[in-house]
């Protein structure tokens, strides 16, 4: 290399440019920066020549040094920006094709049964009830025996009930797919000392299949056990529930009925929220909608769970969540609720 400081500066400048071009990432570029422009870098050290130059040369060299250093710094900054941009493009290209058209993503929504169930639960939670669920595969004892179903009750027939294991009269503990949420009454009373105030909800199974009956459906059930509880409390609770759920002053009525685990037993109806139009699709002009079964817990059931019927009384009710959703949304066939057809489900923006 020539001894002339200006020539040396030019030579360093050339090799700097070559090395900057050759640097393919930020680390390599930084190494070039340190090598040439760092405190003790090759270019920085050229400044030392100033002291050795004659005064008339010193000024010209000083200017050339500053110009060269400025140009090299600019070059470095431009290369750094280009490398950062290239790295960003590479990252994006690896992740996604930016030229592809955006696709509409559907956010999904709650199933109408889930939506109805959650609303029902919220109403009863607000009244101080705990919400429970029980196993779908249930002991025959809890599903039938402890609920005072007689051994020859038709509901125990294989035509009505899915038996999972064993049958009455054999040694094997008979298990069934629960046919209603009422066995949760037994489970609640066996595990909680009175007073008991619970709601049981969930999936139940029967060998039914037509427009308004499905082999798998959902029920919600209320149970209250305390001293001095009577039918008036049951009716008042149902009335409060209907008001809270439907948001208007609709009446409820009880009609005598039979369920083995309540005495007296009653069907409960609510006034039709759509009035009493002869053409009403919901109540068919009667002005009343049948919701489910209810009644005072039978003393035999209290006996079965060791609660003294002389001290405690209680009421229970239960109804189908699917039927309620069908009534409210004018769903013509129950199967529609369980076929997972998006065209149907999209009509419920829950
Ligand atoms: C019962 O299941 C009683 N456990 C209810 C009860 C609880 C009475 C507490 C007294 C005290 P029932 O079999 O009527 O009752 O059924 C109750 C509701 O479930 C019916 O009103 C109906 O809405 C619904 N339901 C019954 N079978 C089906 C089915 N296959 N598909 C859809 N919903 C059904």
């Amino acid at each position: 290399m020539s001894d002339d400081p200006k020539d040396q500066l030019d030579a360093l400048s050339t090799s700097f440019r070559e090395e900057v071009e050759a640097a393919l990432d930020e680390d390599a570029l930084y190494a070039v920066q340190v090598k040439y422009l760092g405190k003790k870098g090759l270019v920085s050290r050229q400044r030392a020549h100033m002291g050795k130059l004659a005064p008339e040369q010193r000024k010209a060299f000083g200017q050339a040094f500053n110009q060269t250093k400025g140009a090299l710094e600019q070059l470095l900054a431009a290369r750094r920006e280009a490398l950062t941009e290239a790295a960003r493009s590479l990252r994006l290209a690896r992740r996604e094709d930016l030229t592809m058209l955006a696709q509409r993503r559907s956010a999904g929504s709650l199933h109408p049964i889930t939506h109805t169930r959650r609303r029902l639960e919220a109403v009863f939670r607000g009244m101080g009830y705990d919400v429970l669920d029980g196993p779908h595969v249930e002991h025959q004892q809890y599903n039938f025996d402890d609920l005072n179903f007689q051994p020859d009750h038709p509901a125990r027939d294989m035509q009505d009930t899915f038996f999972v294991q064993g049958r009455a009269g054999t040694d094997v503990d008979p298990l069934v797919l629960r046919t209603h949420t009422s066995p949760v009454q037994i489970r609640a009373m066996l595990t909680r000392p009175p007073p008991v105030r619970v709601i049981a909800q969930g999936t139940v199974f029967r060998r039914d299949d037509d427009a308004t009956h499905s082999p798998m459906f959902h029920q919600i059930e209320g149970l209250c056990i305390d001293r001095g509880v009577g039918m008036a409390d049951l009716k008042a609770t149902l009335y409060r529930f209907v008001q809270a759920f439907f948001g208007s002053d609709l009446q409820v009525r009880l009609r005598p009925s039979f369920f083995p685990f309540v005495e007296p037993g009653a069907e409960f109806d609510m006034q039709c929220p759509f009035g009493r139009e002869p053409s009403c699709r919901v109540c068919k002009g009667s002005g009343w909608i049948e919701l489910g079964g209810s009644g005072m817990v039978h003393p035999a059931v209290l006996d079965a769970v060791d609660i003294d019927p002389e001290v405690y009384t209680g009421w229970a009710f239960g109804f189908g969540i699917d039927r309620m959703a069908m009534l409210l949304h004018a769903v013509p066939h129950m199967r529609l609720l369980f076929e997972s057809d998006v065209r149907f489900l999209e009509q419920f923006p829950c």
Side-chain angles (χ1 to χ4, degrees):
M1 198 187 276
S2 138
D3 285 344
D4 181 48
K6 180 71 174 63
D7 288 346
Q8 287 184 9
L9 202 54
D10 288 345
L12 284 174
S13 176
T14 305
S15 57
F16 176 85
R17 279 168 209 277
E18 285 167 8
E19 288 183 38
V20 160
E21 273 312 305
L24 294 179
D25 58 31
E26 171 60 32
D27 287 349
L29 193 65
Y30 183 68
V32 179
Q33 180 178 1
V34 171
K35 178 176 170 188
Y36 287 89
L37 299 174
K39 245 186 182 168
K40 293 181 182 162
L42 295 172
V43 172
S44 311
R45 270 189 279 167
Q46 292 298 312
R47 188 192 275 275
H49 289 301
M50 300 263 270
K52 296 178 211 152
L53 292 173
E56 60 278 14
Q57 290 171 318
R58 200 177 293 160
K59 191 175 170 205
F61 180 76
Q63 276 175 352
F65 178 84
N66 287 337
Q67 258 176 18
T68 305
K69 192 164 177 250
L72 297 186
E73 280 167 352
Q74 268 181 23
L75 196 76
L76 190 76
R79 179 68 181 154
R80 180 161 283 138
E81 202 177 309
L83 281 178
T84 308
E85 185 51 35
R88 186 175 157 271
S89 301
L90 193 70
R91 264 201 319 276
L92 286 175
R94 270 195 207 131
R95 222 177 291 158
E96 57 211 43
D97 178 355
L98 295 177
T99 61
M100 260 176 79
L101 292 178
Q103 280 187 351
R104 193 178 133 253
R105 281 236 185 128
S106 140
S109 59
L110 289 179
H111 190 280
I113 301 291
T114 308
H115 184 242
T116 309
R117 176 177 57 73
R118 288 195 185 173
R119 278 190 60 209
L120 290 166
E121 285 175 11
V123 167
F124 285 104
R125 276 211 177 92
M127 289 198 251
Y129 288 77
D130 286 345
V131 178
L132 307 180
D133 193 4
H136 294 174
V137 177
E138 184 57 280
H139 297 284
Q140 172 176 270
Q141 175 155 0
Y142 293 169
N143 194 83
F144 291 130
D145 302 61
D146 290 352
L147 287 168
N148 199 33
F149 281 79
Q150 296 308 304
D152 55 354
H153 193 284
R156 296 178 182 244
D157 196 277
M158 283 188 95
Q159 295 303 315
D160 279 338
T161 298
F162 295 102
F163 280 82
V164 175
Q165 148 185 307
R167 290 298 317 269
T170 66
D171 289 347
V172 186
D173 175 23
L175 295 177
V176 297
L177 292 188
R178 65 178 182 181
T179 58
H180 50 175
T181 40
S182 300
V184 185
Q185 287 187 29
I186 302 296
R187 290 178 174 272
M189 289 187 283
L190 284 173
T191 51
R192 297 168 175 235
V196 177
R197 280 185 177 75
V198 293
I199 291 297
Q201 60 73 31
T203 314
V204 301
F205 309 85
R206 293 184 195 177
R207 290 191 58 175
D208 284 344
D209 199 5
D210 64 30
T212 53
H213 293 80
S214 161
M216 184 277 312
F217 60 105
H218 303 85
Q219 287 190 337
I220 187 158
E221 174 120 4
L223 173 72
C224 170
I225 306 287
D226 206 343
R227 292 170 196 261
V229 169
M231 283 296 260
D233 303 292
L234 166 65
K235 190 168 179 188
T237 307
L238 292 173
Y239 176 65
R240 285 262 168 257
F241 150 65
V242 166
Q243 282 198 331
F245 193 77
F246 293 94
S248 57
D249 194 15
L250 299 166
Q251 293 299 319
V252 292
R253 71 176 186 189
L254 301 179
R255 285 177 294 113
S257 186
F258 174 76
F259 299 92
F261 39 96
V262 286
E263 180 58 33
E267 297 282 346
F268 70 95
D269 304 340
M270 61 173 267
Q271 257 180 336
C272 179
F274 306 108
R276 199 177 172 169
E277 292 297 315
S279 58
C280 178
R281 59 174 171 78
V282 177
C283 71
K284 308 205 169 51
S286 72
W288 293 95
I289 302 174
E290 194 180 309
L291 281 188
S294 65
M296 296 303 296
V297 177
H298 199 292
V301 175
L302 294 176
D303 272 339
V305 291
D306 277 337
I307 292 181
D308 186 349
E310 297 295 327
V311 179
Y312 290 102
T313 52
W315 51 252
F317 69 85
F319 60 90
I321 302 177
D322 323 66
R323 288 267 181 89
M324 178 170 274
M326 280 177 83
L327 284 173
L328 293 177
H329 300 295
V331 178
H333 200 299
M334 191 164 281
R335 200 176 299 145
L336 285 168
L337 288 170
F338 306 119
E339 281 178 334
S340 302
D341 186 331
V342 193
R343 290 166 303 177
F344 170 76
L345 295 173
E346 271 176 351
Q347 295 172 46
F348 302 90
C350 302

